[in-house]
Amino acid sequence: MSILSATLSRVKPSPTIAVTTKAQELKAAGRDVIGLGAGEPDFDTPDHIKAAGIRAIEAGKTKYTAVDGIPELKAAICAKFKRDNGLDYVPAQVSVGTGGKQILYNALMATLNPGDEVVIPAPYWVSYPDMVLLAGGTPVIAPAGIETGFKLSPAALEAAITPKTKWFIFNSPSNPTGAGYTWDELKGLTDVLMRHPHVWVMTDDMYEHLSYDGFEFCTPAQVEPALYQRTLTCNGVSKAYAMTGWRIGYAGGPQDLITAMRKIQSQSTSNPCTISQWAAVEALNGSHDFIAANNAMFKRRRDLVVSMLNEIEGLECPTPNGAFYVYPSIAGLIGKTSKAGTVINNDEAFATALLEETGVAVVFGAAFGLSPNFRVSYATSDEALKEACTRIQSFCAELR
């Protein structure tokens, strides 16, 4: 009899982490590898945020805290929700976890029963379906392809909802596509949700502050206040504040749900890192001037990558509204053969051959539930992006 749980057979390891690990292994072996797989800003954490963490250490703020966050951080989160999103939460309605992923996981673990369905637009962040499966639920994938700008239509959402639907997971700007929903586009979805009062809404707003070309972010409970009582608005400090390793995520929602999430966390990880919590207080309350400067660099990189990839015959790369990803289609390359003899019969074969033959690491689209595509993270230097795109151009030009 196996020592492993049957639940484990329902899930797979994160493909994005696998790609990053493979790239690191090849680099360690001496290969010239450019990794475009990691969803992590290459900017350093701003100095005033690092200083807050250092002050916390020097002040001895290194003990256990309340399970789901110190009062000062919960107050800062409430102020952020009001300031940025027009949402009113009190500290008892806020949960702080070890990264945004734990927040989503706690909510699913606290609410899903066998047979419960969770609607997830595709392409999706790789962890959504597997977290639903771990929690005993059933992912229901709703397609949002390139023809709709990678945005879910109201009709597609309506078609995915059944009497068994418990949650709708919503992510804008999106990982992996960078697509962002306008107020009117989101209103179309919230109108559908208003017709199905048994469906709760879980937002992933992690890329809220990373937007370009005048795109204005909005979140479901902001667009439709009547959804407030059945929405968990999730966010964190990882991306906009370049704090991925600090591991702080948070959410605001109905108090009964937050209490249930606290119970899950109390028996798993307990409190997030104390030092990180104090740094997050400064991130939310302190100066945000660096965000505009970082976004200007991200936009320049986005435009560079989109321009160079769209020069490739058979490849289509839409221009995203936010985040730091592009999600090009390789539909025009399927069936061709690489210089080394690999048949490009799907996007996984494309990504594998690209890494092996050119040293460029990307994530294949099937990992995100929509093919034939691949994801490029442009959260790296201009020089690395230019070289990577040049290699991709050469690789595609040699396909026969």
Side-chain angles (χ1 to χ4, degrees):
M1 184 172 64
S2 173
I3 188 64
L4 301 180
S5 163
T7 301
L8 195 63
S9 66
R10 306 181 72 195
V11 301
K12 57 187 181 299
S14 167
T16 52
I17 293 175
V19 167
T20 302
T21 301
K22 179 66 173 177
Q24 291 170 343
E25 290 173 351
L26 289 173
K27 278 187 178 180
R31 285 285 304 275
D32 177 16
V33 175
I34 302 174
L36 304 180
E40 180 172 50
D42 61 323
F43 307 130
D44 195 11
T45 303
D47 287 343
H48 66 288
I49 298 174
K50 291 192 290 186
I54 293 169
R55 287 196 301 271
I57 295 172
E58 292 175 339
K61 295 177 178 178
T62 56
K63 308 297 185 184
Y64 292 135
T65 73
V67 166
D68 61 350
I70 58 176
E72 292 85 352
L73 181 51
K74 288 192 173 189
I77 291 166
C78 291
K80 174 263 177 283
F81 277 132
K82 181 64 174 178
R83 176 181 68 240
D84 295 344
N85 312 116
L87 297 174
D88 290 306
Y89 292 109
V90 297
Q93 293 177 282
V94 170
S95 179
V96 182
T98 305
K101 182 180 286 188
Q102 185 182 27
I103 290 293
L104 304 176
Y105 183 77
N106 285 350
L108 294 170
M109 288 295 293
T111 58
L112 292 182
N113 296 306
D116 288 344
E117 295 177 350
V118 178
V119 174
I120 304 171
Y124 46 70
W125 180 44
V126 294
S127 293
Y128 295 148
D130 288 285
M131 287 194 290
V132 169
L133 290 167
L134 274 172
T138 302
V140 174
I141 308 305
I146 197 168
E147 67 282 354
T148 61
F150 300 122
K151 300 176 190 180
L152 186 68
S153 69
L157 174 58
E158 186 82 58
I161 292 174
T162 76
K164 296 181 180 179
T165 305
K166 180 162 280 187
W167 285 102
F168 167 54
I169 297 181
F170 178 76
N171 175 216
S172 171
S174 159
N175 175 7
T177 68
Y181 290 70
T182 66
W183 186 284
D184 289 343
E185 289 167 340
L186 186 47
K187 184 65 165 64
L189 298 181
T190 60
D191 285 349
V192 173
L193 294 164
M194 288 302 296
R195 295 195 290 271
H196 299 278
H198 67 292
V199 179
W200 283 57
V201 185
M202 183 182 297
T203 80
D204 182 350
D205 297 347
M206 190 64 73
Y207 297 92
E208 171 183 5
H209 294 300
L210 301 180
S211 61
Y212 321 108
D213 305 325
F215 173 78
E216 295 185 9
F217 172 85
C218 53
T219 194
Q222 178 184 21
V223 171
E224 178 49 77
L227 287 174
Y228 174 87
Q229 289 297 338
R230 52 186 172 108
T231 297
L232 184 70
T233 302
C234 307
N235 211 317
V237 299
S238 297
K239 310 299 184 178
Y241 303 95
M243 294 177 67
T244 48
W246 296 80
R247 308 307 300 137
I248 294 292
Y250 59 83
Q255 189 169 339
D256 288 350
L257 174 58
I258 296 297
T259 300
M261 291 167 61
R262 183 184 307 121
K263 183 184 294 186
I264 296 290
Q265 191 159 309
S266 74
Q267 298 296 355
S268 54
T269 63
S270 197
N271 68 268
C273 171
T274 310
I275 300 156
S276 296
Q277 290 189 64
W278 283 105
V281 172
E282 177 62 25
L284 294 175
N285 288 344
S287 172
H288 296 162
D289 292 346
F290 62 92
I291 293 179
N294 288 354
N295 281 2
M297 284 188 274
F298 277 140
K299 181 182 184 300
R300 185 182 68 242
R301 294 170 177 180
R302 179 204 66 175
D303 293 344
L304 168 68
V305 171
V306 170
S307 174
M308 292 188 71
L309 293 183
N310 275 328
E311 292 175 5
I312 299 170
E313 184 177 353
L315 190 150
E316 180 183 1
C317 184
T319 302
N321 304 106
F324 38 68
Y325 310 106
V326 295
Y327 198 66
S329 166
I330 59 165
L333 304 178
I334 296 298
K336 296 190 174 185
T337 302
S338 76
K339 186 177 181 180
T342 298
V343 178
I344 309 301
N345 50 22
N346 55 42
D347 48 42
E348 185 170 5
F350 175 89
T352 299
L354 184 68
L355 177 58
E356 292 177 348
E357 297 181 33
T358 75
V360 175
V362 300
V363 187
F364 58 92
F368 305 101
L370 187 77
S371 295
N373 297 72
F374 65 97
R375 190 191 77 173
V376 167
S377 169
Y378 53 84
T380 190
S381 71
D382 294 43
E383 294 73 21
L385 291 171
K386 287 177 185 176
E387 175 61 23
C389 289
T390 299
R391 294 185 193 182
I392 296 171
Q393 287 177 337
S394 298
F395 174 81
C396 292
E398 293 171 344
L399 295 174
R400 295 292 181 264

